[in-house]
């Protein structure tokens, strides 16, 4: 009997080690997943799916710095310019074709990003995981494998581990004894205390996450608003061009500006708007402190900036024009002009070089019409 009892004890001890070891391994993997499912159960998820790609792409620009520019033929701001003006061989197409194509292309690409993001949301273990997306994509798997745990809010594998641990540790005593009940109660108490601590930590982390998401949402809304205003101005200027009404003063949709034409060793002012109004030509040898002069000398077309006085910014860049002319465009704006800062200097919303390309394209459009009108006037004078 003693031998038999020893064998039973060895079997029980072996089962104790195996089962406790197994439960200890899986509790850390399964409990966080089940808790996440319980917290997300019933939440709306499609809005997150549609916003998710935008936040991801924005993160690439802001943190990873992996993208040097944007595929501008797919952006609603640049697409119409690239298709309608930059690629001259499409100039005969109606403007609405370019605009519609750009919008449809952007929508298609973004829809593909959304579908990819939904797939991530429906994958257990991914940072983007959401139980409602998992239900929508894999309803049978959820109902068969996970629904029973989600519907039982008091069950955890950690609690099961504690219970089994207590049972195994008291296997040589009467389960109805005071010592057994005390041990079990103590383990439950410890488990509840641990759950309370985890919940407090989770609540604190969620509050911080919500605050961060609210900040990101506000930034996203501001970005969308800014891009919408730029798109509206670009579209309006395209219609003004079609109606032969586009002029330089229409190009102030980013900030005030001054515009120069290089003639020999001098920059002749063509136009200024939203500045102090002082009209002055610049000498390329003497006025070396002006960013317009620095930009005029840079054949690469890089942007140059300075602060002519506290609180004021000037950003200048060179434009190679038709008939081998060289023009220089200067943006003028104040420190508190967040919209101009984000578009021209900070690259928060869009690569500032692309904003310069938009201005360049419009200037080429106006210059081309000026050249055509000059030829008409010359022909009329010859007659």
């Amino acid at each position: 009997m003693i031998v038999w009892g020893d064998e039973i004890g060895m079997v029980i001890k072996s089962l104790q080690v195996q089962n406790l070891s197994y439960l200890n391994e899986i509790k850390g993997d399964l409990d966080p997943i089940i808790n996440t499912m319980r917290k997300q159960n019933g939440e709306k998820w499609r809005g997150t799916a549609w916003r998710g790609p935008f936040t991801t792409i924005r993160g690439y620009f802001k943190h990873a710095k992996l993208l040097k520019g944007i595929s501008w033929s797919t952006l609603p701001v640049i697409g119409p310019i690239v298709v309608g003006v930059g690629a001259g061989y499409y100039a005969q197409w109606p403007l609405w074709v370019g605009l519609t194509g750009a919008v449809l292309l952007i929508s298609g690409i973004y829809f593909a990003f959304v579908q990819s993001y939904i797939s991530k949301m429906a994958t257990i273990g991914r940072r983007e995981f959401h139980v409602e997306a998992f239900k929508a994509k894999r309803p049978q798997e959820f109902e068969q494998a996970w629904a029973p745990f989600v519907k039982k809010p008091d069950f955890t594998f950690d609690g099961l581990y504690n219970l089994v641990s207590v049972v195994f540790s008291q296997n040589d005593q009467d389960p109805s004894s005071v010592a057994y009940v005390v041990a079990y109660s103590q383990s439950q108490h410890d488990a509840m205390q641990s759950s309370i601590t985890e919940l407090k930590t989770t609540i604190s982390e969620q509050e911080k996450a919500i605050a961060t998401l609210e900040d990101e949402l506000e930034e996203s809304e501001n970005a969308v608003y800014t891009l919408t205003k730029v798109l509206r101005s670009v579209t309006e200027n395209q219609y003004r061009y079609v109606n032969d009404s586009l002029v330089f003063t229409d190009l102030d949709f980013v900030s005030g500006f001054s515009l120069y034409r290089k003639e020999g060793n001098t920059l002749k002012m063509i136009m200024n708007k939203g500045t102090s109004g002082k009209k002055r030509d610049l000498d390329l040898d003497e006025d070396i402190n002006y960013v317009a002069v620095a930009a005029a000398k840079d054949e690469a077309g890089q942007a140059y900036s300075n602060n002519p006085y506290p609180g004021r910014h000037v950003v200048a860049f060179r434009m190679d024009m038709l008939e081998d002319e060289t023009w220089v465009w200067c943006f003028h704006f104040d420190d508190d002009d967040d919209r101009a800062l984000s578009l021209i200097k900070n690259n928060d919303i869009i690569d500032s070089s692309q904003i310069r390309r938009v201005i360049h394209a419009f200037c080429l459009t106006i210059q081309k019409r000026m050249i055509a009108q000059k030829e008409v006037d010359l022909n009329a004078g010859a007659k």
Side-chain angles (χ1 to χ4, degrees):
M1 291 297 292
I2 296 176
V3 174
W4 177 250
D6 291 340
E7 290 178 352
I8 293 177
M10 292 176 62
V11 170
I12 292 176
K13 185 172 291 185
S14 176
L15 289 174
Q16 175 184 356
V17 172
Q18 293 177 9
N19 285 282
L20 284 179
S21 176
Y22 177 72
L23 283 175
N24 189 47
E25 289 177 3
I26 67 173
K27 70 176 183 176
D29 295 328
L30 295 182
D31 279 347
I33 295 174
I34 295 172
N35 288 334
T36 298
M37 288 183 174
R38 287 169 180 165
K39 286 184 287 187
Q40 294 176 343
N41 191 38
E43 291 181 354
K44 296 180 180 179
W45 64 277
R46 295 191 180 276
T48 301
W50 281 94
R51 292 190 300 269
F54 183 86
T55 303
T56 301
I57 294 172
R58 178 178 173 277
Y60 291 156
F61 282 97
K62 188 173 182 180
H63 301 295
K65 303 296 183 183
L66 294 177
L67 301 180
K68 299 297 184 181
I70 299 175
S71 181
W72 304 110
S73 62
T74 63
L75 281 179
V77 178
I78 309 302
I81 302 303
V82 174
V83 174
V85 179
Y89 47 85
Y90 289 130
Q92 70 273 18
W93 287 14
L95 291 177
W96 66 268
V97 172
L99 290 171
T100 302
V103 171
L104 290 176
L105 182 58
I106 277 294
S107 300
I109 292 175
Y110 196 82
F111 182 77
F113 276 119
V114 170
Q115 295 304 309
S116 175
Y117 197 86
I118 290 176
S119 178
K120 295 177 182 178
M121 294 177 70
T123 303
I124 294 175
R126 291 301 297 258
R127 179 176 59 84
E128 300 86 351
F129 173 78
H130 197 289
V131 70
E132 294 299 326
F134 182 72
K135 289 181 186 179
K137 292 296 181 180
R138 304 177 185 175
Q140 186 174 0
E141 181 180 344
F142 174 79
E143 289 298 327
Q144 292 179 350
W146 299 99
F149 298 111
V150 175
K151 294 175 182 178
K152 296 182 182 298
D154 295 329
F155 173 82
T156 64
F157 281 91
D158 186 66
L160 179 60
Y161 172 85
N162 292 331
L163 176 61
V164 173
S165 178
V166 170
V167 170
F168 276 143
S169 66
Q170 300 292 332
N171 66 81
D172 59 342
Q173 299 184 26
D174 182 359
S176 63
S177 68
V178 173
Y180 186 94
V181 173
V182 169
Y184 173 75
S185 299
Q186 183 62 45
S187 70
Q188 290 297 98
H189 173 76
D190 292 342
M192 291 176 65
Q193 286 293 107
S194 177
S195 296
I196 291 172
T197 302
E198 290 178 359
L199 286 173
K200 288 181 178 179
T201 302
T202 300
I203 291 172
S204 178
E205 292 175 350
Q206 287 181 342
E207 288 176 347
K208 293 178 181 178
I210 290 172
T212 301
L213 289 174
E214 288 177 345
D215 292 340
E216 292 181 352
L217 179 60
E218 183 178 359
E219 291 179 4
S220 298
E221 290 175 347
N222 291 336
V224 171
Y225 175 74
T226 298
L227 288 177
T228 300
K229 289 193 67 175
V230 172
L231 176 59
R232 185 183 299 121
S233 298
V234 170
T235 304
E236 180 181 315
N237 284 347
Q238 286 182 316
Y239 281 110
R240 288 182 63 80
Y241 167 71
V242 171
N243 294 320
D244 293 327
S245 299
L246 182 66
V247 294
F248 288 119
T249 54
D250 293 323
L251 305 185
D252 65 344
F253 53 85
V254 176
S255 72
F257 66 90
S258 57
L259 177 62
Y260 298 87
R261 179 192 293 110
K262 182 181 178 184
E263 296 182 5
N265 207 40
T266 304
L267 290 181
K268 297 285 187 180
M269 179 172 285
I270 300 174
M271 168 73 62
N272 66 15
K273 184 178 181 183
T275 69
S276 62
K278 182 179 179 180
K279 294 185 177 181
R280 178 180 180 275
D281 297 337
L282 301 176
D283 188 284
L284 296 180
D285 291 330
E286 297 180 0
D287 296 316
I288 58 176
N289 293 326
Y290 286 80
V291 289
V293 172
K297 296 178 179 180
D298 186 354
E299 296 183 359
Q302 297 297 314
Y304 291 79
S305 65
N306 72 354
N307 301 95
Y309 53 85
R312 189 68 168 174
H313 292 272
V314 178
V315 176
F317 66 97
R318 167 179 168 152
M319 300 182 293
D320 294 326
M321 306 298 289
L322 302 175
E323 297 189 344
D324 294 327
E325 289 189 3
T326 297
W327 293 7
V328 175
W329 182 281
C330 300
F331 294 106
H332 297 256
F333 54 95
D334 295 327
D335 280 345
D336 58 359
D337 190 343
D338 294 334
R339 177 171 170 271
L341 282 169
S342 63
L343 290 173
I344 301 171
K345 293 200 68 176
N346 297 340
N347 296 316
D348 289 337
I349 300 174
I350 188 173
D351 190 334
S352 58
S353 66
Q354 303 309 315
I355 293 296
R356 300 197 297 271
R357 286 169 60 86
V358 173
I359 296 296
H360 190 182
F362 273 125
C363 287
L364 285 169
T365 300
I366 296 175
Q367 186 198 22
K368 186 175 182 180
R369 191 180 65 189
M370 292 168 61
I371 293 172
Q373 184 61 45
K374 183 178 179 180
E375 292 176 352
V376 170
D377 293 342
L378 289 175
N379 292 335
K383 294 181 180 178

